[in-house]
Amino acid sequence: MAGCSGAAGIAAEGSMPTPSTSTKAGQPSPTTEVATDQVTDADTCAAIGDVLTIQFNAEAAVRDGRMQVHEQQSWNRLATRVFDRAPVSGASVLSQTVADLQSKIDLPPGALGMSLVNMDEWATAFPAIMQLCSQAGAEIVTEGFVGG
């Protein structure tokens, strides 16, 4: 990268770092299927927190003039893919609600696809999902890192 000489952890210009698929020691990678009987509502709500973190920060970046709307739309498509991969057990009302919404998402291969934010079903289901997470004792946690 130009202007980043000697920085630790920065790939040399023209090279790409090898992505890691593991998260923490002993935990499955994001691409590893987890048996549905091992999924808890807390797992589902944590994944939804990631979705909301992406959406919140993209929206804040547009509002602050740091990002264009077309970039926000790409981040929202990423949030949709993350939501589509949120683990569900099928054993709780929360899991069933999320799985039902996931079944309405049509994701073609590649970067393009629909955005969850533009779906009427998301606007309808979102308050219920937040309430179900709260009732399960699994608050949705988001992280703001754009602006302020």
Side-chain angles (χ1 to χ4, degrees), residues 41-128:
D41 283 347
D43 297 329
T44 304
C45 295
I48 292 168
D50 291 343
V51 170
L52 296 177
T53 293
I54 293 167
Q55 291 179 319
F56 172 80
N57 284 286
E59 183 178 308
V62 169
R63 187 181 53 247
D64 293 349
R66 297 171 183 229
M67 181 186 295
Q68 299 297 314
V69 171
H70 73 276
E71 293 172 290
Q72 178 190 25
Q73 291 167 346
S74 294
W75 280 106
N76 286 338
R77 285 191 298 272
L78 173 62
T80 302
R81 292 191 304 272
V82 171
F83 179 82
D84 193 51
R85 295 179 185 126
V88 292
S89 68
S92 69
V93 174
L94 171 66
S95 283
Q96 292 167 1
T97 302
V98 170
D100 182 54
L101 189 53
Q102 287 171 328
S103 73
K104 293 173 174 55
I105 297 173
D106 180 27
L107 294 173
L112 297 179
M114 65 189 303
S115 172
L116 186 69
V117 196
N118 299 328
M119 294 175 57
D120 291 337
E121 293 89 352
W122 175 249
T124 301
F126 176 70

